[in-house]
Amino acid sequence: MDEIVSQHGFCRIIDLGGTPTYWETAPAFAQRADMSVLIVNREYFTSDDPRITCIVGDATDMSSYSKNEFDLVHSNSVIEHVGSQENMAKMAEEVMRLAPVYYVQAPNYWFPYEFHTRMIGFHWLPKRLRLTLMMYRSCGHYPRARSRAEAQQYVADANSVTYRQMRRLFPDAAITGEKFLGLNKSWMVVNRSR
C-alpha cells in the first residue's frame, strides 16, 4: 500500500468478502487519509469511517467495475467459499482484472486443522461422514444443520485449497505459505504488477 501511495498519492482498495472491522482495526490503515476501501460482501455491512464503503455483491461477478479501476484487490479467506472450481476461477479472473496489485489468502488443504469447522482432519473425511457430523452437532462456525440440504451447504462451504489449485487460478503471481509450527497453514498469493 505504501508503494502505491508513494507512486499515485492515493490507494483505492477493493476488499472482496471482507468486513469493515478488519480495516477499522488494521494498524496499516489507521489514520490514513490517502486510502479508501470498497468492501464487497454477500452480507450488508456499514461503517462510520468515511474511507470505507460497503456494498452487497458477488466476488465472481464484478462486471460493474472496469479493468484496473482499483489500485489493490484484497481478499482474505474468501475464494474457498465461492463454491465450484468454476466459481473460484471466475473470482480469480475478477481479482486479476480489477487491479494491477492483489493479495489473496486461502487456507491450505494439507494443513491438519480445518479452520471453518475448528476440527482436526474434518476436510479429509469422506463426504458422507462430514454430512453426518454436520447433522448431529455444531462444527465451528456452523450451527447444527436443520436438514440434509443445510448440511450439504455447510460441507460445500468448508473448503481449503491446494498449492496447485492456487497456481492454476493465479499463474503469474507469487505464492507463499503462511507457516504455523513449520507447516503451511494457508497460501498467500501476491501480484505486485502485471
Side-chain angles (χ1 to χ4, degrees):
M1 291 187 287
D2 289 333
E3 288 177 33
I4 295 168
V5 170
S6 67
Q7 289 176 0
H8 304 287
F10 197 80
C11 182
R12 297 162 300 152
I13 302 165
I14 184 167
D15 183 345
L16 300 177
T19 65
T21 304
Y22 178 89
W23 293 97
E24 291 163 351
T25 59
F29 189 69
Q31 308 303 317
R32 298 222 32 187
D34 52 6
M35 295 182 190
S36 67
V37 179
L38 173 64
I39 295 172
V40 180
N41 199 305
R42 289 185 175 174
E43 294 180 49
Y44 181 69
F45 292 96
T46 61
S47 175
D48 293 330
D49 190 321
R51 300 168 300 159
I52 299 172
T53 304
C54 304
I55 64 168
V56 174
D58 182 349
T60 66
D61 180 11
M62 299 301 299
S63 56
S64 57
Y65 297 97
S66 59
K67 182 177 180 178
N68 291 332
E69 188 162 336
F70 299 91
D71 300 304
L72 170 69
V73 174
H74 182 279
S75 187
N76 191 18
S77 292
V78 175
I79 198 162
E80 73 273 15
H81 293 292
V82 298
S84 66
Q85 290 294 316
E86 180 182 348
N87 281 348
M88 290 174 76
K90 286 179 183 178
M91 180 178 168
E93 288 171 13
E94 292 291 32
V95 166
M96 293 182 284
R97 184 182 68 77
L98 289 169
V101 179
Y102 56 84
Y103 166 84
V104 177
Q105 185 269 2
N108 178 14
Y109 176 81
W110 296 111
F111 190 71
Y113 184 77
E114 204 290 313
F115 293 94
H116 308 104
T117 58
R118 297 181 180 155
M119 296 173 71
I120 293 175
F122 177 86
H123 51 308
W124 297 335
L125 297 172
K127 186 175 182 180
R128 175 184 260 172
L129 184 52
R130 287 181 282 158
L131 286 169
T132 301
L133 283 169
M134 292 288 195
M135 291 289 296
Y136 290 100
R137 60 174 293 205
S138 63
C139 298
H141 298 290
Y142 306 102
R144 182 178 168 194
R146 294 170 293 193
S147 66
R148 185 162 180 81
E150 191 171 57
Q152 288 173 327
Q153 287 177 337
Y154 294 163
V155 168
D157 188 61
N159 288 315
S160 301
V161 294
T162 65
Y163 176 88
R164 285 184 181 193
Q165 284 176 297
M166 293 301 264
R167 175 53 61 214
R168 274 194 307 271
L169 293 168
F170 301 98
D172 298 329
I175 302 174
T176 57
E178 182 182 8
K179 302 280 188 187
F180 181 76
L181 298 177
L183 301 172
N184 289 331
K185 78 176 188 76
S186 60
W187 300 114
M188 296 179 296
V189 177
V190 179
N191 190 45
R192 298 200 185 278
S193 65
R194 274 185 268 139

